Amino acid sequence: MHHASGDSLHINILGPVSISVNGKLHPIRANKVRAFLATLALEAGRAVSNEDLADELWSGHLVGNTRNALQAHATRLRKEILGSAHQRRGVSVLRAVPNGYLLDISRECVDGNRFLDLSAQGAAELQVRPEHSLELLQQALELWRGPALLDAGDGLRARSAAALFDERRLAAWENLVSACLTVGDDARAIAELRQLVARYPLRERFCELLMLALYRTGRQGEALDLFQRTRRRLDEELGIQPGALLQRRHTEILAQDPALTLPSAVVSSRREHAAARN
């Protein structure tokens, strides 16, 4: 880390793109400067070529002199970093390298990377230490302040990274509610899942986990009703039937299968969902 004044500098991409110094948020007003920062932050510690940067910022609509245009954005970004971090002149986190630029920070100074690390650790702990898993996943999800790379422009890198982060966020939520169910906090699982099902009505795993949680708290009728609503929605919006795993959960609830009360009911279906997705 090349921070002359000992300021801790972080880049935030889980929401609007911004710089944080010692916990204080500094938004970046210029669109292209934000896109420039986001592109470098996604590759923290690694150089991004002028060509790749130009591609991301102007996607095919090349401006007159891209090198000069990039240099102008780099100058503005340095000012933003210097202004926010009160760093000594000339000591900069943003470095020009031959034919490109590099953000000289460690990868965990970008909130997106901290999220990926925490959620991966949380997932790994789910079956071993569910309480610890719950803590890690909660920390991971608390890093979000809005949709990922919200205002980073519509370049290909930003959009594909945003889609990846969104998918990982849904997986982390799924693991969080699985951890709640595993430690027996059904009330919290139901509260989280109601919101998730409302926001992502076509994501079958959320529906299936909510059915399980409702059944476990003596609400079999509500669980079956939820299945019918989801089935109608899948049919109307996508023209498909519920997947085999969701159908099986429905059958088990109808039959009041004793296995539904076991911790394995959460875990086994999680494994099968992962397998079905790969």
Side-chain angles (χ1 to χ4, degrees):
M1 287 252 217
H2 294 227
H3 298 182
S5 61
D7 283 326
S8 82
L9 180 124
H10 288 89
I11 311 296
N12 309 304
I13 58 174
L14 299 178
V17 176
S18 65
I19 297 171
S20 285
V21 179
N22 301 331
K24 190 172 184 296
L25 218 63
H26 298 266
I28 292 169
R29 285 180 185 81
N31 292 345
K32 294 293 185 209
V33 178
R34 270 200 310 271
F36 185 72
L37 172 61
T39 309
L40 292 173
L42 286 168
E43 301 291 335
R46 290 197 294 267
V48 182
S49 72
N50 288 336
E51 193 184 0
D52 286 347
L53 284 161
D55 215 29
E56 185 67 9
L57 267 59
W58 296 288
S59 51
H61 313 289
L62 285 185
V63 287
N65 185 330
T66 50
R67 193 173 285 263
N68 284 359
L70 287 170
Q71 223 161 12
H73 293 321
T75 303
R76 290 182 72 172
L77 181 54
R78 275 204 188 94
K79 280 197 182 115
E80 297 269 7
I81 294 170
L82 286 165
S84 62
H86 314 299
Q87 292 179 328
R88 268 211 317 266
R89 291 250 175 274
V91 177
S92 182
V93 185
L94 175 60
R95 290 183 22 215
V97 295
N99 193 38
Y101 288 90
L102 134 86
L103 212 50
D104 193 8
I105 56 175
S106 56
R107 67 181 287 288
E108 60 276 6
C109 289
V110 178
D111 62 354
N113 292 329
R114 286 202 308 286
F115 163 73
L116 293 175
D117 293 347
L118 285 164
S119 51
Q121 289 162 16
E125 289 282 277
L126 187 50
Q127 286 163 14
V128 205
R129 294 190 295 167
E131 282 89 359
H132 187 223
S133 168
L134 196 52
E135 269 169 47
L136 292 165
L137 292 161
Q138 202 165 318
Q139 285 171 31
L141 289 162
E142 278 167 3
L143 292 167
W144 288 71
R145 292 164 302 106
L149 296 149
L150 177 60
D151 51 5
D154 46 18
L156 199 57
R157 283 171 176 241
R159 295 288 53 91
S160 55
L164 171 82
F165 279 118
D166 284 345
E167 190 52 48
R168 294 287 171 86
R169 186 187 197 180
L170 292 174
W173 261 324
E174 196 178 286
N175 288 332
L176 177 91
V177 292
S178 299
C180 287
L181 286 168
T182 308
V183 301
D185 191 349
D186 294 330
R188 177 172 176 194
I190 289 173
E192 297 270 359
L193 282 163
R194 282 195 198 283
Q195 288 185 29
L196 290 166
V197 166
R199 272 175 72 177
Y200 306 98
L202 302 174
R203 195 165 174 102
E204 294 184 30
R205 177 65 169 147
F206 290 147
C207 171
E208 188 214 318
L209 284 167
L210 181 52
M211 283 168 66
L212 177 66
L214 289 167
Y215 177 79
R216 284 181 169 186
T217 50
R219 287 175 266 187
Q220 184 186 6
E222 253 188 89
L224 295 171
D225 184 47
L226 172 64
F227 176 80
Q228 298 305 344
R229 277 208 315 277
T230 303
R231 186 170 75 174
R232 263 199 312 279
R233 208 147 174 180
L234 287 167
D235 182 40
E236 285 164 11
E237 296 189 28
L238 301 177
I240 60 171
Q241 287 296 305
L245 299 171
L246 189 54
Q247 302 249 29
R248 192 171 74 219
R249 183 65 84 210
H250 177 242
T251 308
E252 289 167 353
I253 288 173
L254 275 175
Q256 301 189 345
D257 189 327
L260 288 169
T261 57
L262 303 174
S264 59
V266 179
V267 174
S268 62
S269 65
R270 176 175 169 262
R271 252 192 236 114
E272 286 170 27
H273 264 279
R277 228 180 265 150
N278 293 337

